[in-house]
Amino acid sequence: MDIPAVELTEFSRREFVKTSSLGMLGAVALPEILLSGCSSATSAKPAKVGLQLYTLRNQIKTDIRGTLKRLSKIGFAGVETAFWPDRVTVKEAGKLLKEFELPVCSCHCELPIGDQQSKMLEIAEAFRCTKMIWHGWPEDERYKTMDGIKQLAEVYNKSHEFAVSNGLEFGIHNHWWEFMNRIGDRYAHEVLRDYIDANIFFEIDTYWVKVAGFDPAEIVRGLGKRAPFLHIKDGPARFTENITTDPEPMVAVGKGTQNFPEIVKAANGNTEWMVVEMDHTETDVFTAIQESFDYLTKNNLAIVK
């Protein structure tokens, strides 16, 4: 199968999207399938709050111990791992996270193809985590055609099979193109769901959903239990037809355009983890992280235990 793995080291995942100042998109008429599949919640308990360590990639690169020590004092229930500097092995990173009492809720990783299979297992062991999430970067051209999406679905299904056979779970993280690219009269993300295993879970990045012109609450509501993880980020989230890969600065959760109370309401108790992430901030990143944590926990939108 000709599916190249994406090589991302030293947090080299590119800075994501800069949206233009063209203004917000008006109300979007959502296709019916995007709203289907909503199931009743088994619990109204708020989700746990975590942090995607990509937020602190620059600080980790220069002072990993000091960064993790400072982060541990904020009180997040867990962290989501991404990519480490070349000098830090996965095993070493796992030991440091354990030392600073930062449990791992989920891991961003490559698709388990070729030598990436052993790497996925190494990540799972080092971080004592079973939730493996394909980070989804960069955009795959196959999201633009029906045949391409079917090929991607086959890859995702095989990745899921590998994960399950090793006691793990497999999920997919979105960006904006899955909710912008159209296949006929449908969007790529909804078409993909026709072909992937129903047990593959989604980590919905609520920010990129909004950048693509959709209401994150409606997407989360429609996915129900299939979206146990949400990426929580805030900022301008401006829609534009021509998204570039240099993002506008993000802000602390609760200080931008996102309506997180509505998103939590729409999730109906199906969210297990709300993972805070900021790709780039103009303010001090630790201040923004603390403010995000305070906003989510003090408003009972997320909990730490």
Side-chain angles (χ1 to χ4, degrees):
M1 194 183 307
D2 184 17
I3 305 166
V6 182
E7 292 299 328
L8 295 174
T9 59
E10 193 144 347
F11 285 103
S12 64
R13 182 169 58 150
R14 284 189 284 164
E15 293 292 323
F16 289 91
V17 180
K18 181 173 183 178
T19 52
S20 75
S21 57
L22 295 177
M24 297 301 296
L25 179 70
V28 176
L30 295 176
E32 183 176 348
I33 192 169
L34 279 174
L35 301 178
S36 65
C38 181
S39 56
S40 59
T42 57
S43 172
K45 183 178 180 180
K48 292 182 179 180
V49 60
L51 179 79
Q52 166 56 260
L53 291 177
Y54 180 73
T55 306
L56 292 168
R57 62 197 177 280
N58 296 325
Q59 291 73 20
I60 286 174
K61 185 176 180 179
T62 58
D63 181 11
I64 187 170
R65 292 187 63 85
T67 298
L68 296 180
K69 181 178 181 179
R70 188 172 177 183
L71 175 61
S72 68
K73 294 179 180 179
I74 295 178
F76 282 96
V79 295
E80 182 174 79
T81 65
F83 310 99
W84 302 92
D86 285 338
R87 70 180 186 279
V88 180
T89 68
V90 171
K91 183 177 290 187
E92 290 169 342
K95 290 179 179 179
L96 285 170
L97 292 175
K98 181 179 180 181
E99 176 184 344
F100 291 106
E101 299 183 330
L102 292 168
V104 176
C105 62
S106 47
C107 305
H108 274 201
C109 61
E110 306 295 342
L111 292 168
I113 299 166
D115 63 359
Q116 293 295 340
Q117 289 186 339
S118 61
K119 290 183 180 180
M120 176 180 277
L121 300 181
E122 181 185 11
I123 288 171
E125 180 179 6
F127 299 134
R128 299 174 179 81
C129 181
T130 62
K131 306 283 189 178
M132 301 291 112
I133 300 175
W134 159 233
H135 55 73
W137 185 268
E139 180 177 3
D140 194 309
E141 289 295 310
R142 287 173 290 187
Y143 271 113
K144 295 181 178 180
T145 67
M146 178 62 76
D147 287 343
I149 288 180
K150 289 180 180 179
Q151 291 173 17
L152 285 171
E154 182 180 355
V155 174
Y156 296 156
N157 287 336
K158 288 184 179 299
S159 298
H160 167 69
E161 291 172 7
F162 174 79
V164 171
S165 69
N166 287 279
L168 307 174
E169 297 177 64
F170 179 72
I172 301 172
H173 175 274
N174 68 277
H175 294 87
W176 61 92
W177 51 81
E178 298 95 330
F179 290 92
M180 290 190 74
N181 292 348
R182 294 181 68 89
I183 310 299
D185 62 350
R186 305 171 73 207
Y187 290 91
H189 199 270
E190 60 175 317
V191 174
L192 178 70
R193 297 202 298 272
D194 287 347
Y195 297 100
I196 62 173
D197 190 293
N199 291 309
I200 294 175
F201 68 89
F202 293 109
E203 178 177 62
I204 292 297
D205 191 307
T206 60
Y207 192 82
W208 301 134
V209 166
K210 188 167 185 179
V211 166
F214 285 101
D215 178 354
E218 291 302 310
I219 298 300
V220 169
R221 178 180 293 110
L223 287 171
K225 291 182 178 180
R226 293 200 71 176
F229 282 72
L230 301 181
H231 259 203
I232 303 301
K233 56 179 72 169
D234 212 346
R238 279 186 268 265
F239 170 82
T240 174
E241 292 286 356
N242 300 303
I243 299 175
T244 66
T245 56
D246 184 19
E248 289 183 284
M250 294 175 183
V251 299
V253 175
K255 291 191 173 183
T257 61
Q258 291 273 52
N259 187 341
F260 291 111
E262 189 62 28
I263 291 172
V264 169
K265 180 180 178 182
N268 197 28
N270 287 305
T271 306
E272 297 175 12
W273 284 89
M274 298 178 73
V275 182
V276 174
E277 181 184 41
M278 284 164 272
D279 297 345
H280 172 63
T281 61
E282 288 184 338
T283 61
D284 175 72
V285 67
F286 268 105
T287 299
I289 289 172
Q290 182 69 65
E291 290 174 347
S292 299
F293 177 86
D294 291 343
Y295 171 81
L296 291 170
T297 56
K298 291 180 180 179
N299 288 289
N300 201 36
L301 298 176
I303 57 176
V304 297
K305 292 183 179 180

